[in-house]
Amino acid sequence: KVKIKLDQLLKEKGISKTKFSQYAELQRTQLNRYCNNEVEMISLDVLARMCKVLECNVSDILEYAED
């Protein structure tokens, strides 16, 4: 299973969901789905925008964990 650690990362960086959704060009409902690990697929473009805004690597956002 791949876990999206976006909610945790936003808290660590002190960025609100509202500002992040604006900067990363995501709809708020879409962002909430990522934060709640409710997505089955993630666009590479979206992932790249997240990394750019958070100044981080993909591995900071995604984590693989065996079931």
Side-chain angles (χ1 to χ4, degrees):
K1 180 177 179 178
V2 175
K3 180 180 177 187
I4 302 172
K5 304 181 293 183
L6 187 57
D7 198 40
Q8 173 186 342
L9 200 52
L10 289 173
K11 289 176 185 173
E12 288 174 9
K13 300 260 184 180
I15 300 173
S16 72
K17 287 183 181 180
T18 301
K19 287 193 181 213
F20 181 77
S21 65
Q22 291 172 347
Y23 297 150
E25 301 174 24
L26 294 170
Q27 293 179 1
R28 182 61 189 260
T29 54
Q30 185 181 17
L31 174 59
N32 285 334
R33 289 187 48 148
Y34 287 115
C35 287
N36 295 326
N37 280 286
E38 296 174 348
V39 294
E40 292 182 18
M41 295 189 319
I42 183 169
S43 159
L44 293 177
D45 182 57
V46 169
L47 190 56
R49 291 195 314 256
M50 289 178 181
C51 289
K52 182 177 180 180
V53 171
L54 294 171
E55 298 177 338
C56 69
N57 294 312
V58 172
S59 61
D60 296 321
I61 297 174
L62 302 178
E63 177 181 281
Y64 173 74
E66 292 188 36
D67 289 333

